[in-house]
């Protein structure tokens, strides 16, 4: 498993790519959707920001605090979770979740909202990484697909998740390029 410092550095490199890609897009391109069931590039960015801030990094904080949401360290990852962490990445397949008000991200209001949101995740990742140096893995929180994850694993998941969505970004850029 990679270190949190390595993941942090890789994350910053991936974020630079997302910011460069964002710079080259206008709002019309950011909100254009292939169909009603799929996300726009802007919605994908919103998903990355929101999942990191409100799920992944919140779960890191909860593991570190050892609150009521945590479970015993004896709990294990699912087979999918074990595989993802052994590979250091999500499987290179499309993961579909049915559209719903709870899960489907809203369209962005502006490019600035997306850039600020992504930069905010970088700031929080840096702050969180320094706190992880003194953690022992006695508390975990359940991930819906990967099972019981420690604070460090939730942290590593952020970079893996951003890297995974680069595939979706390329697909959506092809779509808007052919339909601009």
């Amino acid at each position: 498993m990679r270190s949190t410092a390595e993941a942090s550095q890789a994350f910053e490199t991936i974020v630079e790519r997302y910011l460069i890609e964002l710079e080259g897009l206008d709002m019309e391109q950011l909100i254009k959707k292939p169909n009603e069931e799929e996300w726009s590039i802007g919605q994908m960015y919103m998903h990355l920001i929101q999942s990191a801030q409100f799920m992944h990094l919140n779960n890191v904080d909860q593991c570190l605090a050892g609150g009521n949401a945590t479970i015993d360290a004896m709990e294990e990852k699912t087979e999918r979770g074990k595989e993802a962490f052994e590979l250091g990445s999500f499987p290179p397949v499309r993961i579909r979740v049915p559209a719903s008000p709870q899960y489907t991200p809203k369209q962005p209001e502006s490019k600035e909202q997306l850039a600020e949101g992504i930069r905010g995740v970088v700031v929080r990742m840096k702050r969180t990484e320094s706190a992880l140096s003194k953690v022992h893995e006695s508390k975990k929180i359940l991930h819906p697909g990967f099972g019981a994850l420690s604070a460090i694993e939730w942290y590593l998941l952020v970079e893996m998740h951003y890297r995974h969505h680069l595939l979706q970004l390329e697909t959506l850029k092809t779509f808007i390029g052919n339909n601009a």
Side-chain angles (χ1 to χ4, degrees), residues 22 26-27 30-31 42 45-46 49 107-117:
L22 181 60
D26 61 33
M27 275 308 290
L30 283 170
I31 63 171
Y45 274 71
M46 294 291 287
I49 294 161
Q107 291 282 17
E109 295 173 13
S110 66
K111 285 175 62 168
E112 293 75 25
Q113 176 191 24
L114 298 175
E116 287 174 19

Side-chain angles (χ1 to χ4, degrees), residues 9-178:
Q9 184 61 50
F11 178 73
E12 288 186 44
T13 300
I14 291 167
V15 164
E16 282 305 314
R17 165 119 184 253
Y18 277 110
L19 290 170
I20 289 167
E21 296 286 354
L22 181 60
E23 199 56 39
L25 299 168
D26 61 33
M27 275 308 290
E28 184 178 326
Q29 292 170 314
L30 283 170
I31 63 171
K32 190 176 197 79
K33 294 171 56 164
N35 60 56
E36 276 309 303
E37 292 298 309
E38 294 187 53
W39 294 348
S40 67
I41 292 175
Q43 286 175 294
M44 184 198 72
Y45 274 71
M46 294 291 287
H47 166 72
L48 289 170
I49 294 161
Q50 292 168 349
S51 61
Q53 292 284 26
F54 303 117
M55 181 184 181
H56 301 129
L57 294 171
N58 269 1
N59 286 340
V60 170
D61 292 344
Q62 287 186 45
C63 286
L64 292 173
N68 292 341
T70 60
I71 57 175
D72 192 278
M74 299 307 290
E75 293 283 336
E76 303 246 346
K77 288 183 206 64
T78 62
E79 286 305 313
R80 280 180 51 209
K82 289 176 187 172
E83 182 180 313
F85 281 91
E86 285 171 13
L87 292 172
S89 66
F90 286 28
V93 294
R94 195 168 180 176
I95 300 168
R96 285 190 182 258
V97 175
S100 71
Q102 301 85 0
Y103 187 76
T104 304
K106 291 189 179 343
Q107 291 282 17
E109 295 173 13
S110 66
K111 285 175 62 168
E112 293 75 25
Q113 176 191 24
L114 298 175
E116 287 174 19
I118 293 267
R119 287 186 188 107
V121 175
V122 171
V123 168
R124 190 162 174 202
M125 285 286 284
K126 286 179 183 177
R127 186 176 66 234
T128 302
E129 202 269 332
S130 64
L132 289 170
S133 63
K134 41 195 166 298
V135 68
H136 70 80
E137 305 203 10
S138 65
K139 298 294 181 184
K140 296 181 179 184
I141 293 182
L142 288 177
H143 181 280
F146 293 162
L149 302 181
S150 69
I152 290 172
E153 290 164 334
W154 278 106
Y155 183 86
L156 297 175
L157 199 59
V158 177
E159 185 272 336
M160 289 166 51
H161 188 224
Y162 273 62
R163 188 167 14 108
H164 176 74
H165 276 282
L166 288 172
L167 297 170
Q168 182 182 14
L169 178 60
E170 289 307 313
T171 300
L172 289 169
K173 281 177 38 190
T174 300
F175 165 74
I176 63 170
N178 293 336

